[in-house]
Amino acid sequence: MRLVHLDLKGAAPRVSYLEQVFPLLSQLGANGILIEYEDMFPFKGDLEILKSPFAYSEEDIERIQQLAELHKLEVVPLVQTFGHVEFILKHQKYQHLREVERFPNSFNPHIPDTLALLKSILSQVIEKHRRSTWIHIGADEVFHLGEGMDSKNWMSRNKGDTGTMYLNHIKEVLGFISTQYWGLRALMWDDMLRKISVGALRGERVGTAVLAPKLGAYPYLAPPELPPEKPPELAEGDGGPATAGPTAFPGHHPHWLAEVRGGGSPAFLSACVAWLMMAWLALLCRYDHYSVLCELLPVGIPSLAICLQTLVNGGFTEETKRKVLDSLGFQSMHLEQSTCEGRGVFPGAEIYHMVQQVNDHLKESILKALEEESAIKGWFSPYHRKRQFGNPRNMESFGSKVLKLHEDWEGFVHDLRVQLEKVYFPDTVEEWMEENVSPYLDQLRDLVQDYR
């Protein structure tokens, strides 16, 4: 399986954009889409509180599946069932289900309401994905597990540990799925399981779970045959939680492919009922529900294309490179700089280039004008601006230059906003602008206002 993970914790694309992207993903070698809806799912009834104001409609969910089917992409919905549940536990209504009261990251597995809530969430998502043969239950990064008082009491009474506690909860979730939805197969991330002894895993036998390895996202999970240094990340190929782009290109690196082929230790794998090598390619929207946006989907497409074609061809060959360039409409690529040259014809290429302009020139050009222009520093300092006085002769020496810079960037940002609004909902556009454009452009706007 070569699944592209659409992580919708932020920057969820409009369905009209997915109509353009799905054919490209299929052309590049993907055969499935892993969709982590989070608050973009159209929850109903008691769960309606979980919905974003811009959540997909039921018709949108159906359209996404039709598009996937048209382009031979299997849809695998992902519902987090243990950790990464900030979008649920941030609400006062569900605050009592937190493992640790202060932190909204993870469920308390000892409260009956936790499983009842999960059954309700899973049921609504599964019912809207009856074509799907897989469900992904997440279950990664269960931060603070064992730190809550209920967990401490449970471990004391049962002489247990966090590993057993984790497995007990996962078995309950899987038991519900296998009982209510016969034939539906379950996937989960494996990072928490790797902290549990092989003996404990063999003793528990986690039902019908199929493990989707999250190798590469965690350096400490690298197979032992790899060198000890951290390899380029297989899944989360970005530069950190506040990265606007472009996404790093890991696909050409030998360690990256070694991880894909290596899989994991025989002892660990033998302890699992079933194990699946899933090529997991994710373009993260956020690291978690509370973090800033990472790279936008159009900005990450070149990296995604390289990784998909590397998987299809078994390595980063000249054929791989040529197919990527032809598919995306670029003339050349520079792997170490993570850049491509040429106009590009893929969906969102305009955004790709405009985000590069923001990254490469916006901050630099504005700060250069504000901090290096001697006439501004000498005759239009914050002191002058606050008291609204200055010599017109000296102000005219920099005025035309500053006004032209302001006019150019305002025009550019207007065009960027138009392109972003074609792909994203208003909340994403505003957030991206406020994080990546406003900190610099607002300084220039303020200067121009004072100058005028």
Side-chain angles (χ1 to χ4, degrees), residues 237-271:
D238 54 68
T243 300
T247 311
F249 293 176
H252 68 289
H253 200 288
H255 288 177
W256 186 90
L257 200 58
E259 286 202 65
V260 177
R261 291 169 175 159
S265 70
F268 173 72
L269 299 182
S270 69

Side-chain angles (χ1 to χ4, degrees), residues 57-287:
S57 66
E58 292 185 22
E59 292 75 22
D60 289 333
I61 300 296
E62 176 61 24
R63 179 62 180 149
I64 289 170
Q65 293 177 88
Q66 290 174 352
L67 290 168
E69 194 171 4
L70 179 64
H71 299 290
K72 297 180 171 55
L73 298 168
E74 181 164 3
V75 173
V76 180
L78 191 159
V79 176
Q80 287 286 359
T81 57
F82 214 161
H84 280 300
V85 286
E86 296 92 348
F87 84 101
I88 300 171
L89 298 184
K90 71 178 183 181
H91 295 286
Q92 187 175 3
K93 179 179 180 179
Y94 299 117
Q95 190 170 343
H96 68 290
L97 301 182
R98 297 176 179 183
E99 167 71 359
V100 176
E101 185 179 358
R102 287 182 59 209
F103 305 129
N105 307 79
S106 306
F107 278 123
N108 178 340
H110 308 287
I111 301 177
D113 285 354
T114 293
L115 189 60
L117 175 62
L118 285 173
K119 288 178 179 180
S120 181
I121 292 173
L122 284 164
S123 295
Q124 289 200 20
V125 173
I126 293 171
E127 288 298 332
K128 293 298 178 187
H129 293 82
R130 295 313 297 247
R131 298 180 185 84
S132 297
T133 59
W134 299 92
I135 179 74
H136 199 305
I137 63 168
D140 61 318
E141 296 183 339
V142 187
F143 301 133
H144 309 294
L145 181 61
E147 295 177 18
M149 189 53 64
D150 286 345
S151 290
K152 289 178 179 178
N153 291 338
W154 184 91
M155 288 188 288
S156 175
R157 287 195 309 269
N158 296 278
K159 296 184 170 54
D161 56 18
T162 56
T164 304
M165 200 159 51
Y166 175 86
L167 291 174
N168 285 345
H169 178 71
I170 295 303
K171 285 196 297 181
E172 286 188 315
V173 171
L174 291 171
F176 167 73
I177 293 171
S178 62
T179 302
Q180 296 297 315
Y181 301 98
W182 187 87
L184 186 64
R185 293 171 290 179
L187 289 159
M188 61 185 287
W189 300 128
D190 71 345
D191 55 295
M192 295 297 294
L193 293 171
R194 287 174 182 265
K195 301 173 184 178
I196 301 171
S197 71
V198 170
L201 283 172
R202 283 183 174 143
E204 293 291 340
R205 306 298 289 180
V206 193
T208 59
V210 179
L211 313 178
K214 212 173 182 185
L215 297 176
Y218 305 93
Y220 53 81
L221 297 185
E225 65 268 24
L226 289 180
E229 68 270 14
K230 181 181 178 181
E233 292 187 343
L234 165 63
E236 298 166 298
D238 54 68
T243 300
T247 311
F249 293 176
H252 68 289
H253 200 288
H255 288 177
W256 186 90
L257 200 58
E259 286 202 65
V260 177
R261 291 169 175 159
S265 70
F268 173 72
L269 299 182
S270 69
C272 306
V273 172
W275 182 86
L276 173 69
M277 182 59 242
M278 183 180 77
W280 175 56
L281 302 168
L283 295 174
L284 283 187
C285 294
R286 303 183 196 278
Y287 271 47

Side-chain angles (χ1 to χ4, degrees), residues 39-61:
D39 60 358
M40 286 301 293
F41 188 81
F43 291 109
K44 296 191 299 184
D46 291 341
L47 301 180
E48 195 167 352
I49 191 176
L50 302 179
K51 281 198 316 185
S52 160
F54 300 98
Y56 294 139
S57 66
E58 292 185 22
E59 292 75 22
D60 289 333
I61 300 296

Side-chain angles (χ1 to χ4, degrees), residues 6-14 17-18 39-40 56 283-286 292-298 420 423-425 427-429 431-432:
L6 293 181
D7 180 0
L8 305 183
K9 285 193 283 290
R14 296 178 185 271
Y17 183 66
L18 296 179
D39 60 358
M40 286 301 293
Y56 294 139
L283 295 174
L284 283 187
C285 294
R286 303 183 196 278
V292 299
L293 292 172
C294 298
E295 68 277 3
L296 298 173
L297 177 54
L420 289 173
V423 175
Y424 294 109
F425 298 99
D427 58 336
T428 296
V429 177
E431 181 179 355
W432 197 91

